[in-house]
Amino acid sequence: MTGIDLSTPSTLPPTNGYSHVASIPPGSRLVWTSGQVPITAEGVPAAAGDWEAQTRLVMQNVGAALTAGGASWDDVFKLTIFIVDTSALPTVRAVRDEFINLERPPTSSLVQVAGLFRPDILIEIEAVAAVPTA
């Protein structure tokens, strides 16, 4: 994340694995992913009800989407996470932490939803990254 300023000012509440503010330097190329779900490229879903497996596959899919856009996890400055049950948040955070830079975590939004596009899908994640152009 060369040049991206990620911070958590003391004037805002403490965080758990995310930053409050991201400033992107001029000249960066932005990469957005669509919301990724726990389904493989072959169309096979992760096990129904398995938060760890579903979150890991979603994060792998986000990583693949970032790579396709010429970015990496180190370039991510914003995650939006949609989950159907906030009681699974400790598991979601633990798996997320395997992928992000914990020293400079991206900004993040978490949204609990009534459901996703299929009843067996528990989580969807989208990312925004900034890649230096110079």
Side-chain angles (χ1 to χ4, degrees):
M1 281 201 243
T2 306
I4 298 173
D5 180 28
L6 293 163
S7 64
T8 298
S10 61
T11 56
L12 293 170
T15 64
N16 191 347
Y18 65 94
S19 297
H20 276 295
V21 180
S23 291
I24 310 307
S28 295
R29 181 175 58 82
L30 298 179
V31 176
W32 280 266
T33 72
S34 290
Q36 298 299 307
V37 294
I39 298 175
T40 67
E42 296 76 27
V44 179
D50 186 338
W51 278 98
E52 184 175 347
Q54 288 205 17
T55 304
R56 185 163 284 106
L57 182 52
V58 166
M59 295 298 279
Q60 290 167 347
N61 287 347
V62 170
L66 290 165
T67 298
S72 72
W73 279 106
D74 285 338
D75 302 312
V76 172
F77 66 88
K78 173 67 170 146
L79 288 175
T80 305
I81 303 170
F82 304 91
I83 60 176
V84 298
D85 183 356
T86 57
S87 70
L89 193 51
T91 300
V92 171
R93 283 182 178 148
V95 174
R96 174 206 62 193
D97 290 353
E98 296 173 14
F99 292 83
I100 65 167
N101 180 345
L102 295 175
E103 298 298 315
R104 294 176 41 82
T107 62
S108 185
S109 296
L110 175 73
V111 182
Q112 181 174 352
V113 294
L116 292 164
F117 79 105
R118 285 177 25 179
D120 58 326
I121 301 297
L122 304 173
I123 184 168
E124 182 171 335
I125 299 176
E126 58 188 32
V128 184
V131 180
T133 56

